């Protein structure tokens, strides 16, 4: 058959791959492979289709065959690139391209591909070398710059030793000045050049570039370059010059970038902030400072006069200047700050951001504070136009923010809540005509009331106040459907009240998508196992976990492509940003917190087997080795609490405990240790069976410690993130693991046996033997090797393990009378988790032959007692939950809460509305109590023996 | 009063207060990165002194010959920072860069015909309707506002390079093209 004919036949395979019809792509490949069994393109396309249909093992074999042949044609290389990427084999991809480029060293495109393969694998050193070679060969300046930035990225890489870094920057510097064309021909090259000079502290050279006409013009039109310029000036200590430059921009060009005002401010108080000789003899310079202050003040006053209400920069700069003068003891007029605050409020009180603008200036002394308070208290309560309303809202927010300890009592807070509610209903008519897509002007009053109710709940412990918040805020969202801030408070409160389904409903209405999953999924998934109904078959929350992690897949698939694109379009300023974004998302704390949460749910739902254990173990170990970035957004919550109290986020955290690094580390240790004991995979086996590249260890830990040492480390600061029930669970898991460790180690089959079994399974599955593994001949009895040594003596279970479930019973008794079932659910699900960990730890000893050959039957007898005790406790807990679910169904008691609120509340929100929402809370509680209760019962049944 | 600075990839972690608004779409990572990897100088952020993002603009340069121009793809301001002329400042940066760096003939943008407030604002900034694009926002279907909800105005503002002011035409509102005729 001619090449053209074959090509015609291959085209449909591409179409099938493009449309996601992997199955038909495989069929078509198989058909053509019969005629062309040696065709690499066909093999690589089939490998790709296999990867995409999750048939990893089969795909591996094909990939290896193609790699062996060292292909050079574009089609094969591209198909292989995608297949290998799907398998996480970046290193193999690099080798493939390098081999191809070696064979065709004049192929420029192949050179680029090889460079990009290294870029994707973060092999900066190799990337640098390739780019250097390409520059020599193809004489395109672009390649020189690629080599420059590769050297720079290598210097930035965390794995590069500190001593190497300056050498690499110097190399980058030497290369960039060797460029045949100057760097200023293009803003991004110029940016790169400046960045290198900054790293090397070569400020004079940088200044030379910046002072040139073209340098100035680039900085005037390019914000990124200007950012580096500003930085270089500051590093040089040229604050004074920067201040002058900024002043000129403000005066001559009407620039109102706040950065320019900050530059003027920094320059003005330069001597006060860094006194050269900090003594009283320094009068000359303090006089100088006063002159400068006067000059700055004049500037800001001029700007204020000129801009009037059009721009807030001038007045705000005056405030900031006064604040700084006070900090340095330079303020000469004790009333000035308060005057400026009042003026600012008078002028900009009708801007929504007035409250936020003034927050930094509110550390006031008592007399100032009382003046300001009186000023704000007389702001007229006008509801006839938006401007009046905004003023009132800002006044309320400022008054609330500056409350002092003695102002915050239950009674005063109740009064305030009533005032906010009243204002809310008075303000509402103003927005009657607004389209449903607009926010209501009155919303902020409802948010203030929400904050107040939460605070009263904190002060009294009475859940009724949270219910009142719900009734009001639910009412507010019917009036203002787009008010996501209202929904955020509702989500938090519903979780506190044990009505997770309602929280999820609001979360979904907000249409969280893409990267927002990383920053916001904590709202619904933090400690979500307490509400998971996975054990009784409802996978809603477990699915939510999986959906929220899709973004990490697209990150690893897409972001690398854009790094490559930034190279192609020479946007050097973006490359380090993209790389750190990718890294920050890939190593997200939330990602792995959700991972653990999903694992906890998974174990309640899927039968515990060695397959799950092995797979999860490998993944958790990788997670344990990596550094984590906290990208969660808590600032989004509308916090209007007084500055001396805890903020709304802290107040509404589930169980009052934040999740974070400590929580994640602790649970990782618990599960890795349990899985490691239960698993047959030791490090040597894992190494052989691992597909794809081993991720780098980026976590901060002592590299001399073994994994076991790290797992045993106890860090009090990590434990501080746990609830008391979680802390007990951790102690239980530790005691259990310590006790069983010798028996696991004794009974675990040796690596050779494990590998042989794995090889057997792979061959059964794919028809090919497992690569790189020689199957040893084993002297086996029933598949188990004979032991030379005696089994370890059987120890009694530790006290903590024996008594754990008694402790749980006591905790259940404590928490079952709480009005919210959340804590009860937490205690119950943590106890369930303890039982599941027990099952993981004892799984190995389920097999009678293992027990017999290892002479562990008396150990197993103690398991049976422990299991029986646990099951008996869990059955009781399940019954308590189900019964509680029935009684929590009464919504009448919940709706009566509205009565303890104030009269406005009752007169404005009718009883039916309250009753409907009370019923929804009651229904949601019943559903979760019943579901968790039944789930526990189901687990008890499944693992009864 | 706000900080004007470049939009950076990591801003995707911070833009919730802007993007949870109904009129602001949150796209896949690739959308933002594709703009940043080609026109980083046409993408910028307004930030409050507290570090909170207030708004951002994403733009690009496109077209051939006398059609070469700067385009505003997305401009958005968080609800609490509206009425502070932030959009105006971001637009003027984008115009300046389109003019001085990209040497474009004009800057253009698309706006829902029903969005009278925005159209007014753009007109004050010197933009005028160049043409009406049929069913540009087709996804919503014909709503209360009839055709105005799904049709877009292509509004343009000439830059000095457009000496003949070809990007301005008085009868722009009457010139109707299909969405397939525009890029």
């Amino acid at each position: 058959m001619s090449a053209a004919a074959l090509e015609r036949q291959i085209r449909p395979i591409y179409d099938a791959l493009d449309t996601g019809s992997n199955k038909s792509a495989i069929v078509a490949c198989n058909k053509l492979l019969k005629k062309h069994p040696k065709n690499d393109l066909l093999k690589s396309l089939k490998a790709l289709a296999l990867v995409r249909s999750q048939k990893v093992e089969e795909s591996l074999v094909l990939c290896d065959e193609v790699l062996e042949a060292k292909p050079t044609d574009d089609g094969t290389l591209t198909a292989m690139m995608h297949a290998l990427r799907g398998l996480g084999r970046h290193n193999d991809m690099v080798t493939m391209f390098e081999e191809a480029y070696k064979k065709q060293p004049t192929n420029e495109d192949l050179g680029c591909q090889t460079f990009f393969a290294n870029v994707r694998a973060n092999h900066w050193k190799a990337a640098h070398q390739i780019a250097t070679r390409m520059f020599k060969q193809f004489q395109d300046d672009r390649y020189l710059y690629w080599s420059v930035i590769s050297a720079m990225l290598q210097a930035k890489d965390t794995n590069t030793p500190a001593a190497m870094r300056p050498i690499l920057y110097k190399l980058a510097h030497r290369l960039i000045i060797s460029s045949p064309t100057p760097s200023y021909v293009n803003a991004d090259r110029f940016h790169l050049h400046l960045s290198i000079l900054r790293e090397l502290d070569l400020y004079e050279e940088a200044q030379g570039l910046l002072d040139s006409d073209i340098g100035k013009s680039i900085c005037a039109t390019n914000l990124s370059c200007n950012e580096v310029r500003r930085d270089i000036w500051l590093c040089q200590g040229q604050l004074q010059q920067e201040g002058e430059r900024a002043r000129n921009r403000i005066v001559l060009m009407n620039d109102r970038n706040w950065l320019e005002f900050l530059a003027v401010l920094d320059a003005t108080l330069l001597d006060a902030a860094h006194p050269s000789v900090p003594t009283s003899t320094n009068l000359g310079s303090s006089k100088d400072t006063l002159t400068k202050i006067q000059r700055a003040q004049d500037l800001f006053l001029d700007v204020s006069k000129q801009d009037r209400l059009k721009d807030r920069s001038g007045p705000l700069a005056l405030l900031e200047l006064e604040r700084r003068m006070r900090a340095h003891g330079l303020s000469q007029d004790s009333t000035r700050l308060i005057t400026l605050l009042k003026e600012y409020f008078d002028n900009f009180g009708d801007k929504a951001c007035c409250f936020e603008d003034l927050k930094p200036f509110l550390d006031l002394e008592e007399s100032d504070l009382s003046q300001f308070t009186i000023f704000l208290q007389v702001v007229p309560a006008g509801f006839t136009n938006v401007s009046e309303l905004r003023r009132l809202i800002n006044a309320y927010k400022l008054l609330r923010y500056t409350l002092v300890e003695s102002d915050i009592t239950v009674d005063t807070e109740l009064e305030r809540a009533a005032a906010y509610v009243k204002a809310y209903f008075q303000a509402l008519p103003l927005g009657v005509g607004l389209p449903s897509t607009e926010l209501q002007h009155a919303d902020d009053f409802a948010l203030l009331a929400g904050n107040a109710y939460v605070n009263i709940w904190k002060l009294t412990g009475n859940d009724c106040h949270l219910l009142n918040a719900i009734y009001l805020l639910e009412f507010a969202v019917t009036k203002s459907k787009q008010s996501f801030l209202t929904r955020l408070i509702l989500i938090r409160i519903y979780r506190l009240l044990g009505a997770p389904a309602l929280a999820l409903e609001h979360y979904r209405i907000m249409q969280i998508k893409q990267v927002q999953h990383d920053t916001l999924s904590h709202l619904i998934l933090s400690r979500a196992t307490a509400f998971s109904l996975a054990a009784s078959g409802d996978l809603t929350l477990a699915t939510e976990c999986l959906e929220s992690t899709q973004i990490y897949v697209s990150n690893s698939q897409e972001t690398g492509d854009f790094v490559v694109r930034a190279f192609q379009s020479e946007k050097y300023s973006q490359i380090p940003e993209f790389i750190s974004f990718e890294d920050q998302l890939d190593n997200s704390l939330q990602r792995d917190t959700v991972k653990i949460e999903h694992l906890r749910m998974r174990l309640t739902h899927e039968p515990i087997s060695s397959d799950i254990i092995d797979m999860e173990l490998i993944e958790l170990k990788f997670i344990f080795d990596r550094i984590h970035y906290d990208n969660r957004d808590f600032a989004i919550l509308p916090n209007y609490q007084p500055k001396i109290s805890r903020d709304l986020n802290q107040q509404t955290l589930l169980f009052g405990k934040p999740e974070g690094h400590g929580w994640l580390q602790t649970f990782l240790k618990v599960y890795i240790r349990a899985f490691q004991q239960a698993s047959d995979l030791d490090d040597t086996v894992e190494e052989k069976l691992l597909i794809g590249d081993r991720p780098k260890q980026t976590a901060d830990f002592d590299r001399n410690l073994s994994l076991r040492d790290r797992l045993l480390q106890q860090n009090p600061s990590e434990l501080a993130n746990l609830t008391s029930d979680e802390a007990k669970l951790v102690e239980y898991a530790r005691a259990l693991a310590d006790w069983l460790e010798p028996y696991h180690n004794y009974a675990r089959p040796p690596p050779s046996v494990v590998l042989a079994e794995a090889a057997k399974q792979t061959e059964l599955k794919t028809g090919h033997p497992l690569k790189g593994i020689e199957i040893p001949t084993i002297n086996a009895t029933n598949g188990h090797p004979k032991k030379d040594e005696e089994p370890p003596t059987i120890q009694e279970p530790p006290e903590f393990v024996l008594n754990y479930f008694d402790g749980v019973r006591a905790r259940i008794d404590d928490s079952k009378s709480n009005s919210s079932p959340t804590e009860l659910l937490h205690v119950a699900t943590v106890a369930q988790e303890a039982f599941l960990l027990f099952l993981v730890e004892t799984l190995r000893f389920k097999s009678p032959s293992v027990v017999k050959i290892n002479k562990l039957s008396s150990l197993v007898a103690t398991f049976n007692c422990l299991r029986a005790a646990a099951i008996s406790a869990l059955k009781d807990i399940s019954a308590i939950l189900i019964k509680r679910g029935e009684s929590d169904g009464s919504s009448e008691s919940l709706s009566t809460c509205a009565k303890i609120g104030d009269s406005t509340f009752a007169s404005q929100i009718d009883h039916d509305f309250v009753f409907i929402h009370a019923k929804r809370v009651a229904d949601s509680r019943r559903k979760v109590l019943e579901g968790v209760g039944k789930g526990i019962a189901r687990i008890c049944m499944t693992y009864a023996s | 009063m706000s900080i004007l600075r470049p939009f950076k990839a990591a801003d995707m972690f911070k833009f919730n207060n802007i993007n949870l608004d109904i009129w602001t779409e949150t796209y896949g990572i690739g959308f933002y990165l594709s703009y940043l990897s080609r026109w980083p100088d046409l993408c910028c952020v307004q930030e409050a002194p507290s570090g909170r993002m207030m708004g951002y603009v994403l733009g690009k340069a496109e077209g051939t010959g006398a059609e070469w121009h700067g385009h505003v793809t997305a401009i958005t301001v968080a609800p609490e920072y509206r009425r502070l002329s932030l959009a105006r400042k971001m637009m003027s940066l984008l115009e300046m860069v389109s003019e001085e760096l990209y040497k474009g003939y004009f800057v253009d943008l698309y706006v829902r015909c029903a969005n009278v407030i925005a159209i007014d604002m753009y007109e004050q900034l010197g933009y005028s309707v160049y043409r009406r694009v049929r069913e540009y926002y087709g996804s919503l279907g014909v709503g209360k506002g009839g055709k105005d909800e799904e049709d877009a105005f292509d509004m343009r503002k000439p830059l000095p390079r457009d000496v003949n002011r070809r990007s301005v035409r008085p009868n722009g509102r009457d010139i109707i093209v299909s969405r397939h005729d525009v890029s």
Side-chain angles (χ1 to χ4, degrees):
Chain A
M1 195 190 303
S2 73
L6 179 61
E7 198 177 305
R8 227 180 11 254
Q9 282 177 300
I10 288 181
R11 211 167 299 144
I13 303 178
Y14 279 107
D15 293 341
L17 282 165
D18 283 344
T19 52
S21 325
N22 298 314
K23 226 177 197 171
S24 61
I26 295 172
V27 172
C29 284
N30 283 339
K31 208 168 125 194
L32 282 175
L33 273 168
K34 271 188 195 147
K35 287 185 206 155
H36 311 274
K38 295 234 174 291
N39 187 301
D40 284 337
L41 177 58
L42 285 170
K43 284 188 199 168
S44 56
L45 289 172
K46 184 178 168 188
L48 178 58
L50 286 167
V51 174
R52 292 190 177 165
S53 14
Q54 323 296 331
K55 293 185 177 153
V56 172
E57 285 93 346
E58 290 168 68
S59 157
L60 285 174
V61 181
L62 277 173
C63 284
D64 289 340
E65 275 179 40
V66 180
L67 287 175
E68 195 88 7
K70 299 186 180 166
T72 52
D73 76 283
D74 194 42
T76 309
L77 290 171
T78 310
M80 281 298 284
M81 177 173 87
H82 287 110
L84 291 171
R85 236 205 277 177
L87 293 166
R89 292 170 64 173
H90 294 279
N91 293 334
D92 285 337
M93 184 157 85
V94 169
T95 320
M96 176 182 78
F97 278 114
E98 280 175 351
E99 293 287 349
Y101 186 37
K102 227 181 263 170
K103 280 191 187 171
Q104 300 186 355
T106 53
N107 186 335
E108 187 169 352
D109 188 49
L110 210 46
C112 290
Q113 294 293 342
T114 312
F115 177 79
F116 294 144
N118 278 293
V119 165
R120 284 180 203 279
N122 290 351
H123 294 174
W124 301 116
K125 191 176 171 189
H128 168 75
Q129 287 163 344
I130 293 163
T132 311
R133 212 161 66 218
M134 288 176 72
F135 176 59
K136 277 191 192 132
Q137 190 170 357
F138 305 112
Q139 294 292 319
D140 184 338
D141 287 357
R142 190 155 81 119
Y143 302 135
L144 176 71
Y145 281 88
W146 286 6
S147 80
V148 170
I149 193 166
S150 301
M152 191 161 153
L153 290 165
Q154 192 190 343
K156 279 186 194 290
D157 197 301
T158 43
N159 292 335
T160 303
M164 267 301 281
R165 288 181 188 164
I167 300 172
L168 288 162
Y169 283 122
K170 278 182 196 150
L171 171 66
H173 180 233
R174 211 181 59 229
L175 287 168
I176 206 165
I177 50 175
S178 76
S179 168
T181 47
S183 63
Y184 56 68
V185 297
N186 148 340
D188 267 83
R189 290 183 180 182
F190 191 65
H191 184 276
L192 180 61
H193 195 165
L194 290 177
S195 309
I196 294 167
L197 295 174
R198 177 177 57 184
E199 293 294 344
L200 290 169
D201 301 342
L202 293 171
Y203 301 132
E204 269 176 42
E205 199 177 328
Q207 202 57 51
L209 291 175
L210 289 166
D211 286 343
S212 68
D213 285 345
I214 193 145
K216 281 184 190 160
S217 118
I218 291 178
C219 291
T221 50
N222 186 296
L223 290 172
S224 302
C225 288
N226 198 33
E227 217 171 54
V228 189
R229 179 204 61 75
R230 203 184 291 271
D231 223 30
I232 288 174
W233 279 35
L234 296 186
C235 293
Q236 261 178 303
Q238 299 202 18
L239 272 85
Q240 211 59 58
Q241 292 86 331
E242 175 68 4
E244 280 310 307
R245 194 200 55 84
R247 167 184 283 270
N248 281 334
R249 281 195 69 91
I250 294 170
V251 175
L252 301 176
M253 304 175 71
N254 284 327
D255 194 331
R256 294 294 179 265
N257 191 340
W258 183 241
L259 291 173
E260 308 299 356
F261 287 82
L262 289 176
V264 172
L265 285 158
D266 288 341
T268 304
L269 291 169
L270 187 58
D271 299 327
H274 311 281
S276 43
V277 190
T279 59
S280 53
T281 56
N282 229 355
L283 282 173
S285 81
S286 74
K287 199 173 159 200
D288 187 35
T289 300
L290 292 179
T291 323
K292 282 203 234 161
I293 288 176
Q294 193 55 50
R295 202 165 157 250
Q297 226 154 35
D298 292 344
L299 170 71
F300 298 152
L301 279 170
D302 286 346
V303 170
S304 307
K305 272 190 207 134
Q306 186 192 330
D307 294 350
R308 289 193 298 171
L309 300 184
K310 274 199 311 214
D311 195 285
R312 296 126 61 231
S313 307
L316 219 64
L318 284 169
L319 271 163
E320 179 64 19
L321 179 62
E322 182 61 24
R323 192 184 67 81
R324 293 188 185 195
M325 281 160 67
R326 284 193 166 208
H328 296 300
L330 291 167
S331 175
Q332 286 159 332
D333 178 355
S334 63
T335 61
R336 183 157 169 85
L337 184 60
I338 201 77
T339 314
L340 287 172
L341 281 171
K342 288 180 187 171
E343 268 177 30
Y344 193 87
F345 189 90
D346 281 337
N347 289 326
F348 300 103
D350 62 349
K351 302 284 185 196
C353 58
C354 175
F355 167 60
E356 193 194 300
D357 288 345
L358 294 185
K359 260 175 149 181
F361 309 108
L362 295 175
D363 284 324
L364 299 173
E365 281 163 26
E366 213 180 312
S367 60
D368 282 352
L369 180 61
S370 64
Q371 264 200 63
F372 194 47
T373 306
I374 293 166
F375 168 80
L376 293 170
Q377 277 167 342
V378 297
V379 169
F383 298 98
T384 49
N385 62 56
V386 179
S387 168
E388 273 177 2
L389 201 63
R390 281 271 146 234
R391 272 178 200 285
L392 188 63
I393 289 169
N394 278 318
Y396 274 14
K397 286 184 185 171
L398 288 164
L399 283 167
R400 183 165 182 78
Y401 183 67
T402 50
L403 289 177
V404 294
E405 193 82 53
S406 56
D407 291 337
I408 307 171
T409 64
V410 177
D411 289 339
T412 53
E413 279 289 84
L414 278 169
E415 273 170 38
R416 276 180 210 114
Y420 302 144
V421 173
K422 190 172 162 205
Y424 174 72
F425 285 106
Q426 283 177 304
L428 211 45
L430 200 58
V432 151
L434 289 173
S436 64
T437 47
E438 288 295 305
L439 296 169
Q440 286 289 325
H441 310 300
D443 284 346
D444 278 355
F445 288 118
L447 299 175
L448 276 162
N451 274 267
Y453 283 131
V454 167
N455 211 21
I456 304 169
W457 167 70
K458 274 281 164 195
L459 290 169
T460 60
N462 183 347
D463 288 349
C464 269
H465 301 292
L466 292 183
L467 285 160
N468 278 334
I470 285 179
Y471 305 140
L472 178 70
L473 295 172
E474 282 288 0
F475 181 82
V477 268
T478 63
K479 297 288 169 194
S480 186
K481 293 196 168 50
Q482 304 305 330
S483 173
F484 61 87
L485 294 175
T486 311
R487 295 190 196 279
L488 290 172
I489 307 187
L490 280 168
I491 289 171
R492 278 294 178 93
I493 296 181
Y494 278 131
R495 279 164 58 90
L496 288 172
L497 288 180
L502 301 178
L504 188 59
E505 214 176 284
H506 283 286
Y507 182 77
R508 289 197 171 144
I509 293 174
M510 294 201 304
Q511 299 208 25
I512 303 300
K513 54 178 102 146
Q514 303 295 348
V515 69
Q516 292 175 328
H517 281 297
D518 185 46
T519 51
L520 293 173
S521 67
H522 68 85
L523 287 167
I524 212 75
L525 294 178
S526 129
R527 289 193 167 95
T529 304
F531 302 128
S532 163
L533 309 185
S536 54
D538 175 347
L539 295 180
T540 312
L541 281 173
T543 314
E544 202 67 41
C545 287
L546 292 179
E547 276 170 13
S548 84
T549 50
Q550 270 308 308
I551 184 65
Y552 307 111
V553 179
S554 15
N555 181 40
S556 52
Q557 285 172 349
E558 285 175 39
T559 308
D561 289 344
F562 288 98
V563 174
V564 167
R565 266 208 229 178
F567 268 102
Q568 285 165 325
S569 57
E570 291 204 76
K571 297 300 177 207
Y572 301 113
S573 61
Q574 301 302 310
I575 292 170
E577 303 280 345
F578 287 10
I579 291 170
S580 80
F581 170 79
E582 183 179 21
D583 194 42
Q584 207 176 327
L585 190 52
D586 199 40
N587 297 301
S588 157
L589 176 71
Q590 179 63 12
R591 174 190 198 167
D592 292 332
T593 305
V594 170
K595 163 78 210 168
I596 290 284
E597 214 57 64
H598 182 256
L599 169 65
R600 298 166 85 194
M601 296 180 197
R602 184 180 184 190
L603 291 180
T604 67
H605 171 65
E606 287 178 44
I608 294 171
S609 68
S610 58
D611 277 356
I612 287 193
I613 290 173
D614 291 349
M615 272 164 58
E616 294 284 359
L617 173 63
I618 294 177
E619 202 174 334
L620 294 186
K621 275 163 71 180
F622 288 160
I623 294 176
F624 194 49
D625 281 345
R626 67 183 181 208
I627 191 169
H628 287 102
Y629 299 96
D630 189 356
N631 308 327
R632 295 171 301 170
D633 185 357
F634 295 109
I636 193 75
L637 285 159
N639 172 42
Y640 301 127
Q641 299 300 24
K643 71 174 165 20
I644 54 155
S645 8
R646 305 189 123 206
D647 66 24
L648 188 69
N649 170 42
Q650 289 164 329
Q651 287 182 330
T652 56
L653 281 171
L654 205 55
F655 317 119
K657 291 277 183 179
E659 272 180 330
H661 297 277
W663 189 93
L664 176 62
Q665 286 302 315
T666 309
F667 275 85
L668 278 171
K669 287 182 199 169
V670 165
Y671 279 100
I672 293 174
R673 183 131 191 253
F675 288 165
Q676 211 178 25
Q677 297 200 352
S679 171
D680 290 345
L681 298 185
D682 72 353
D683 284 349
T684 55
V685 180
E686 186 193 299
E687 195 57 52
K688 292 249 159 78
L689 297 181
L690 187 67
I691 297 159
D693 305 334
R694 181 168 281 280
K696 283 183 195 149
Q697 291 188 324
T698 48
D700 180 25
F701 63 88
D702 181 352
R703 297 288 195 270
N704 294 320
L705 293 180
S706 69
L707 177 63
R708 186 173 180 279
D709 294 339
R710 286 168 63 207
L711 292 175
L712 290 179
Q713 264 181 341
Q714 266 181 322
N715 182 341
S717 70
E718 286 177 2
L719 295 174
N721 272 339
L722 306 186
T723 68
S724 66
D725 301 291
E726 287 167 344
K728 293 259 167 55
L729 171 79
V730 172
E731 210 177 328
Y732 171 81
R734 169 183 282 263
L736 191 64
D738 287 347
W739 172 46
L740 295 177
E741 191 166 36
Y743 313 115
H744 280 293
N745 291 346
Y746 182 75
R748 185 175 296 114
S752 54
V753 178
V754 181
L755 276 176
E757 180 61 22
K760 204 170 100 193
Q761 292 301 330
T762 312
E763 197 158 353
L764 280 176
K765 220 162 158 184
T766 64
H768 299 274
L770 200 57
K771 227 181 82 182
I773 290 172
E774 288 168 32
I775 299 171
T777 42
I778 304 159
N779 294 327
T781 327
N782 289 338
H784 296 285
K786 268 188 188 154
K787 293 269 156 100
D788 297 333
E789 50 187 313
E790 277 302 301
T793 1
I794 306 297
Q795 304 279 346
E796 283 298 303
E799 284 291 299
F800 200 89
V801 172
L802 275 173
N803 301 331
Y804 176 78
F805 282 93
D806 292 337
V808 170
R809 283 176 192 271
R811 282 286 295 137
I812 290 282
D813 281 340
D814 287 349
S815 53
K816 74 179 173 194
S817 52
N818 290 354
S819 91
S820 162
T822 300
E823 191 178 336
L824 180 63
L825 288 165
H826 178 58
V827 179
T829 47
V830 167
Q832 164 187 280
E833 191 171 1
F835 180 57
L836 293 168
L837 278 166
F838 171 80
L839 295 171
V840 167
E841 283 274 6
T842 54
L843 182 69
R844 177 187 306 285
F845 310 104
K846 289 288 275 181
S847 146
S849 60
V850 170
V851 176
K852 195 174 161 205
I853 203 124
N854 293 299
K855 302 176 194 150
L856 294 170
S857 52
S858 60
L859 182 70
V860 173
T862 56
F863 292 166
N864 292 338
C865 300
L866 289 169
R867 175 188 289 113
I871 287 184
S872 139
L874 287 171
K875 276 186 176 163
D876 291 348
I877 294 170
S878 158
I880 290 170
L881 293 183
I882 292 169
K883 194 166 153 232
R884 168 79 192 251
E886 286 160 9
S887 65
D888 265 12
S890 149
S891 39
E892 201 57 52
S893 65
L894 297 179
S895 61
T896 54
C897 278
K899 293 194 183 121
I900 70 159
D902 60 289
S903 51
T904 327
F905 201 113
S907 64
Q908 295 286 347
I909 301 180
D910 70 42
H911 182 70
D912 283 355
F913 185 88
V914 169
F915 185 78
I916 287 168
H917 285 280
K919 186 165 173 349
R920 281 162 55 82
V921 171
D923 287 348
S924 175
R925 282 179 172 181
R926 180 173 37 227
K927 194 177 159 212
V928 68
L929 283 161
E930 209 178 81
V932 172
K934 285 189 176 158
I936 292 177
R938 195 159 121 175
I939 287 173
C940 291
M941 210 163 69
T942 315
Y943 300 104
S945 59
Chain B
M1 185 282 316
S2 54
I3 288 167
L4 183 66
R5 61 161 181 81
F7 189 108
K8 296 179 181 178
D11 285 327
M12 284 187 252
F13 294 123
K14 293 177 61 188
F15 63 21
N16 289 325
N17 62 324
I18 300 171
N19 279 33
L20 286 173
D21 178 56
I22 174 171
W23 296 120
T24 307
E25 177 67 27
T26 300
Y27 299 96
I29 303 173
F31 175 84
Y32 303 96
L33 296 183
S34 71
Y35 275 82
L36 292 175
S37 64
R38 290 188 62 188
W39 307 282
D41 35 14
L42 290 173
C43 302
C44 72
V45 167
Q46 293 269 9
E47 190 179 83
S50 63
R52 230 172 135 82
M53 278 173 80
M54 305 167 96
Y56 59 83
V57 64
L58 303 173
K60 60 180 168 181
E62 60 182 1
T64 49
E67 284 282 300
W68 175 244
H69 67 284
H71 174 77
V72 184
T73 304
I75 181 159
T76 171
V77 174
E80 68 266 36
Y81 301 112
R82 294 196 184 139
R83 295 171 189 277
L84 298 172
S85 317
L86 292 185
R88 187 184 294 260
K89 289 180 187 172
M90 293 192 284
M91 291 293 283
S92 76
L93 177 94
L94 198 133
E95 287 159 16
M96 185 267 286
V97 176
S98 300
E99 178 189 333
E100 297 197 6
L101 220 72
Y102 288 92
K103 316 281 181 217
Y105 286 88
F106 59 90
V107 172
D108 81 341
L109 54 89
Y110 288 90
V111 57
R112 227 176 265 276
C113 297
N115 195 345
V116 184
I117 299 173
I119 295 169
D120 274 356
M121 181 188 82
Y122 295 131
E123 279 178 346
Q124 280 178 35
L125 295 179
Y127 288 76
S128 62
V129 175
Y130 182 77
R131 57 186 173 178
R132 181 181 179 122
V133 186
R134 261 262 195 272
E135 291 168 11
Y136 184 76
Y137 300 101
S139 56
L140 281 182
V142 182
K144 259 191 236 160
K147 287 266 173 258
D148 282 357
E149 277 205 9
E150 50 177 12
D151 288 6
F153 283 138
D154 174 1
M155 298 185 76
R156 296 186 174 183
K157 176 177 180 173
L159 295 176
R161 199 176 170 192
D162 182 13
V163 264
N164 299 323
R165 294 176 65 82
R166 285 162 42 139
S167 52
V168 184
R169 47 189 180 196
N171 60 341
R173 285 178 189 248
D174 305 327
I175 295 180
I176 297 170
V177 295
S178 124
R179 61 178 297 185
H180 308 293
D181 299 333
V182 299
S183 57

